[in-house]
Amino acid sequence: MNVGTKIPKNHRDAALAYSALGIKVFRVRRSKAPYANCPRCDKQSSIYIPHRPEQCQCGVPTCHGFWAATTDTTLIHKWWTEEPDANVGAPCKLNGWAVLDIDPRNGGHTSLCALERRVGVLPGTTNQITGGDGIHMLYLSPGFDLPGEPFPGIDFKHNGYILLAPSVHSSGNRYQWPGGVFHKPSTAWPAPLLPRKEKRPIPQPRPAAHRHTFPSVRTAGRPGGGKMWTVEDLVQHVMDGREGNRNHTFFFAACRAHELAAQDLINLSEAESALLHAASAIGLTDSEARNSFDSAATRPSDRTWAA
């Protein structure tokens, strides 16, 4: 019987509690940007050695975002002693999870009701209340790639990561488990939500394509239509980018950042720093990311998206 585990309110103790359950965790900044790289992994360093994050052999476990996730209690104790207020992140696929992220700011609750009317009530599972007053529904990974944003206000988080309680949202609200008790997910990903070609396994990584074509973007959740993007959302969009599509995903986020900043909706310097850290975490070189971010500033505004 899955009796659950009481999660402490202290971030370090919470991270240790998760690790004791076999859950890989890592430190996350309030902006969701990864922590700094060591000199051999820093794109700006004279001794940088080009390599992919998952192939890193530098021995410094905070270099590459969620690839640094671990259950090593010594490291976890050290990390949160250094940064007591660091949020607790957990990679989804690396922990065997796939997560429905329901965001009420963008119509997620309405989409969930419509979805369940169409496919039936989704199976009960571990739920987390997010700092943005949304819900994370944690299921077991289906072993197949999932679309990132299938419905307005609903994201499928599989390749990226989520924050775990008691992490603090940018709003100041905390993530929390109902009753403060965490239950390890044990329910399979709902069959009706599998992609149509679910028999095809996740493809092996391929070299990144250097194309600046634009994805289609859902439009819901803002008066007049459109997603209310935040710096957190843009960073998560970059981190969720698939292999072979990283440049495309980063350029999209950079364009959104410049357009939002032009409307005084976000701070451009903060967005640039967070996005460049995220680009480093997914394996883009510093020159690739900076050139892409700068070129996004000169791209004509695309009013088919919504901030």
Side-chain angles (χ1 to χ4, degrees):
M1 180 178 178
N2 189 349
V3 296
T5 300
K6 189 76 173 179
I7 300 300
K9 295 182 179 180
N10 175 279
H11 288 207
R12 183 192 63 190
D13 293 343
L16 289 168
Y18 291 123
S19 71
L21 296 171
I23 297 169
K24 297 178 180 179
V25 295
F26 68 108
R27 291 185 300 184
V28 182
R29 297 182 188 276
R30 289 292 176 88
S31 65
K32 287 193 175 179
Y35 275 73
N37 294 342
C38 74
R40 286 185 295 179
C41 300
D42 186 347
K43 305 294 193 305
Q44 301 182 52
S45 170
S46 61
I47 61 173
Y48 167 65
I49 301 173
H51 61 280
R52 294 190 53 73
E54 63 269 32
Q55 298 169 337
C56 180
Q57 299 180 8
C58 70
V60 180
T62 55
C63 272
H64 297 289
F66 65 76
W67 295 101
T70 185
T71 58
D72 186 320
T73 56
T74 300
L75 278 174
I76 291 170
H77 189 279
K78 178 177 183 294
W79 289 348
W80 270 275
T81 298
E82 294 172 347
E83 299 280 351
D85 295 327
N87 280 333
V88 182
C92 297
K93 188 160 60 177
L94 293 181
N95 277 311
W97 302 343
V99 180
L100 256 76
D101 182 4
I102 301 164
D103 183 0
R105 297 171 301 173
N106 293 303
H109 291 163
T110 301
S111 291
L112 179 62
C113 291
L115 175 64
E116 292 192 322
R117 283 196 298 269
R118 192 171 75 209
V119 304
V121 176
L122 298 178
T125 189
T126 300
N127 289 338
Q128 177 176 229
I129 302 169
T130 71
D133 200 29
I135 299 173
H136 284 157
M137 300 177 67
L138 281 66
Y139 292 98
L140 298 179
S141 171
F144 301 98
D145 273 332
L146 298 171
E149 298 178 353
F151 311 105
I154 295 181
D155 294 346
F156 289 171
K157 294 195 181 299
H158 190 218
N159 294 326
Y161 61 91
I162 61 172
L163 297 183
L164 301 180
S167 295
V168 181
H169 187 261
S170 58
S171 65
N173 296 325
R174 289 188 179 274
Y175 290 70
Q176 53 186 309
W177 306 110
V181 177
F182 169 72
H183 296 266
K184 289 191 71 174
S186 59
T187 305
W189 180 259
L193 302 185
L194 285 172
R196 292 182 182 275
K197 296 181 179 179
E198 66 272 16
K199 298 301 181 183
R200 185 172 63 188
I202 297 174
Q204 294 299 310
R206 287 184 264 179
H210 295 277
R211 297 183 303 164
H212 285 333
T213 56
F214 256 54
S216 60
V217 183
R218 60 183 170 89
T219 56
R222 180 189 177 98
K227 174 170 179 172
M228 182 70 76
W229 291 91
T230 65
V231 174
E232 278 189 356
D233 293 330
L234 295 175
V235 169
Q236 185 67 54
H237 183 73
V238 172
M239 300 298 287
D240 284 345
R242 298 187 182 186
E243 286 292 340
N245 203 32
R246 295 172 301 162
N247 288 279
H248 173 205
T249 301
F250 180 81
F251 186 62
F252 173 87
C255 288
R256 299 294 77 81
H258 282 289
E259 293 175 358
L260 289 164
Q263 299 175 62
D264 293 324
L265 295 175
I266 64 171
N267 180 285
L268 184 60
S269 177
E270 177 187 344
E272 179 181 13
S273 175
L275 288 175
L276 291 178
H277 278 299
S280 174
I282 64 172
L284 292 181
T285 67
D286 182 66
S287 59
E288 284 177 325
R290 289 186 180 278
N291 289 340
S292 185
F293 190 87
D294 291 343
S295 64
T298 61
R299 183 182 182 278
S301 178
D302 177 2
R303 294 306 176 188
T304 60
W305 74 278

